[in-house]
Amino acid sequence: MTDFSTYSPGLHALCRFEQIAAEKLTQLDAFHGFTQDLCADLGLEIVGASSFVFENQSYTASYCLKESHICVHTWPEFQLLTLDVYLCNFLQDNSDKVRAVVEKYRTFFAAHEVSISEVYR
């Protein structure tokens, strides 16, 4: 039986990336391709996805994962995005995977300023 007094359901990273080239913030297809490859490389299973492109070509995208979720919202007019990554710890501690996902997105977007809050749930 699981000892729930010491069990951590997962790590939730809430990120703000700034000083990003506008083209990275308006290319939803590139983001989708990168996310699909990233999930495959890290053994994360996408069970659903939804996205929307706004008039200025900014986008919001959400991936429902077997392990939880990845969400992004872009603002090319301000050269920033917010990223939300949560992976639960059902069979293993996925904290390192959360950090790897965040770092790979930071590299993909070539963000110069990064603010990350980690919340253990």
Side-chain angles (χ1 to χ4, degrees), residues 11-13 15 17 34-35 37-44 65 69-70 83-87 92-109 114 116 118 120:
L11 177 61
H12 196 164
C15 312
F17 294 173
F34 181 81
T35 299
D37 291 345
L38 172 63
C39 288
D41 290 348
L42 293 176
L44 302 173
L65 306 176
H69 69 267
I70 297 171
L83 174 69
D84 178 339
V85 180
Y86 177 59
L87 299 179
Q92 65 187 11
D93 183 349
N94 282 314
S95 299
D96 289 340
K97 281 189 182 182
V98 170
R99 292 183 185 104
V101 168
V102 169
E103 179 58 24
K104 289 183 182 295
Y105 278 123
R106 188 204 61 75
T107 300
F108 173 75
F109 285 105
V114 177
I116 303 168
E118 291 187 349
Y120 288 93

Side-chain angles (χ1 to χ4, degrees), residues 7-68:
Y7 176 69
S8 173
L11 177 61
H12 196 164
L14 304 169
C15 312
R16 179 181 169 119
F17 294 173
E18 297 183 62
Q19 295 185 8
I20 302 165
E23 65 271 3
K24 286 284 190 174
L25 300 170
T26 59
Q27 297 173 349
L28 178 60
D29 289 342
F31 177 80
H32 279 313
F34 181 81
T35 299
Q36 291 167 355
D37 291 345
L38 172 63
C39 288
D41 290 348
L42 293 176
L44 302 173
E45 186 177 335
I46 298 171
V47 297
S50 184
S51 59
F52 182 81
V53 177
F54 295 90
E55 297 81 20
N56 68 348
Q57 299 308 300
S58 64
Y59 57 87
T60 185
S62 181
Y63 288 83
C64 183
L65 306 176
K66 182 175 91 175
E67 300 80 9
S68 198

